[in-house]
Amino acid sequence: MAMQTINPYPVASDMTELKEIKDQLMCTGHPVSLATIKSWIRDQDLYTERYRGGTYVSYSDILMAHREAVTGEF
């Protein structure tokens, strides 16, 4: 019987550096600062990784937090 394992962390290809996320969200009409992104990470206890001096987080998780902030759910 095959078992599906649960990976508690996002896939590596989804991990994006915070500055790049900030730059991409600038084009949405609802730009945010790095401080806001960091507060979402802290408030929602999102998984992050440090690599070569940068902090990486799941881009999908940040998009969900951004959607919640824009719609007033957060």
Side-chain angles (χ1 to χ4, degrees):
M1 174 181 208
M3 257 176 66
Q4 181 180 7
T5 59
I6 298 174
N7 184 2
Y9 305 112
V11 294
S13 62
D14 191 31
M15 298 298 280
T16 308
E17 207 271 329
L18 294 184
K19 292 176 187 171
E20 185 178 338
I21 291 173
K22 180 185 127 339
D23 291 342
Q24 290 179 7
L25 292 177
M26 292 297 284
C27 303
T28 65
H30 300 280
V32 294
S33 66
L34 279 176
T36 301
I37 295 171
K38 289 177 182 179
S39 73
W40 292 341
I41 292 169
R42 184 178 52 255
D43 294 344
Q44 296 186 16
D45 195 29
L46 301 178
Y47 174 75
T48 60
E49 285 187 17
R50 301 270 304 156
Y51 180 72
R52 294 187 179 182
T55 302
Y56 291 75
V57 65
S58 167
Y59 188 60
S60 299
D61 288 345
I62 293 298
L63 287 179
M64 292 298 294
H66 185 256
R67 180 190 62 85
E68 292 170 1
V70 169
T71 61
E73 296 175 23
F74 185 66

